[in-house]
């Protein structure tokens, strides 16, 4: 019993010292906003490092292309990616974006790899990977909508003037929208019109 009695106070003392050391952290506990802000900061920092590294590579390849000569097409392609990488770095700096889509990163790395493994690449072999940068425009909110085709313009006018509220009418309008699935204008006009027709049908049912 004496030995046990001797042990107990030690355990108590240990618990006590632990307890006295612990109350501090809760006051330091970061808020959800702080945690998120730190996460985004780390994301921006990591993405900026990546963009700067690619920028260094593309500038090196641009110099090599200038020395090679008679390959203006290659210099133009390198300059395109250089400008886009500068823009991406600037957007990250301004916190307009917090990261870059993986798809875009992969495309840029694929592009740079072509000249890294084959410095004397020919024009017909080069994949410029320019389209991938559209992802940055979308992410930065500067996405420019694709110009509508004459067919799509016609469909937009049809959607706006659509009058029938019957099941068959609505199905026909939905079918028209599906035919022009790649036209943002047709989708927008069709959805707005469907909303209007449904509210009209509802109003008719209510009265």
């Amino acid at each position: 019993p004496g030995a046990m009695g001797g042990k107990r106070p030690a355990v108590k003392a240990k618990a006590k010292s632990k307890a006295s050391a612990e109350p501090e952290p809760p006051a330091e506990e970061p808020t959800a906003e702080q945690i998120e802000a730190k996460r985004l900061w780390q994301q921006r920092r990591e993405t900026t490092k990546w963009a700067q590294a690619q920028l260094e590579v593309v500038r090196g390849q641009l110099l090599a292309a200038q020395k090679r000569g008679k390959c203006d097409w290659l210099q133009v392609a390198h300059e395109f990616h250089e400008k886009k990488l500068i823009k991406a770095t600037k957007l990250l700096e301004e916190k307009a974006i917090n990261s870059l889509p993986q798809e875009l990163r992969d495309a840029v790395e694929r592009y740079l790899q072509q000249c890294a493994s084959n410095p004397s690449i020919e024009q017909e072999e080069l994949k410029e990977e320019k389209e991938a940068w559209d992802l940055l425009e979308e992410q930065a909110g500067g996405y420019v909508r694709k110009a509508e085709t004459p067919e799509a313009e016609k469909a937009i006018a049809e959607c706006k003037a659509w009058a029938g509220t019957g099941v068959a009418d609505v199905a026909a309008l939905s079918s028209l929208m599906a035919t022009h699935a790649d036209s943002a204008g047709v989708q927008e006009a069709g959805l707005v019109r469907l909303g209007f027709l449904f509210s009209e049908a509802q109003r008719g049912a209510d009265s």
Side-chain angles (χ1 to χ4, degrees), residues 98-173:
N98 296 304
S99 63
L100 289 169
Q102 192 57 47
E103 206 183 319
L104 168 57
R105 286 178 173 227
D106 293 346
V108 171
E109 286 174 13
R110 264 199 316 273
Y111 170 78
L112 295 172
Q113 188 53 45
Q114 296 176 97
C115 283
S117 52
N118 181 12
S120 55
I121 193 166
E122 291 304 328
Q123 189 166 5
E124 56 275 10
E125 297 173 88
L126 184 75
K127 287 189 178 71
E128 296 194 359
E129 304 282 1
K130 288 183 176 182
E131 299 79 13
W133 284 104
D134 291 346
L135 295 164
L136 176 67
E137 300 302 327
E138 288 178 45
Q139 197 175 340
Y143 179 60
V144 180
R145 187 185 280 185
K146 207 165 63 173
E148 301 291 357
T149 62
E151 291 80 7
E153 293 285 5
K154 193 178 163 204
I156 290 168
E158 272 183 68
C159 286
K160 286 180 177 174
W162 206 273
T165 55
V167 176
D169 294 306
V170 171
L173 176 54

Side-chain angles (χ1 to χ4, degrees), residues 165-188:
T165 55
V167 176
D169 294 306
V170 171
L173 176 54
S174 299
S175 171
L176 177 66
M177 288 167 68
T179 307
H180 299 277
D182 59 346
S183 161
V186 173
Q187 302 311 304
E188 191 178 22

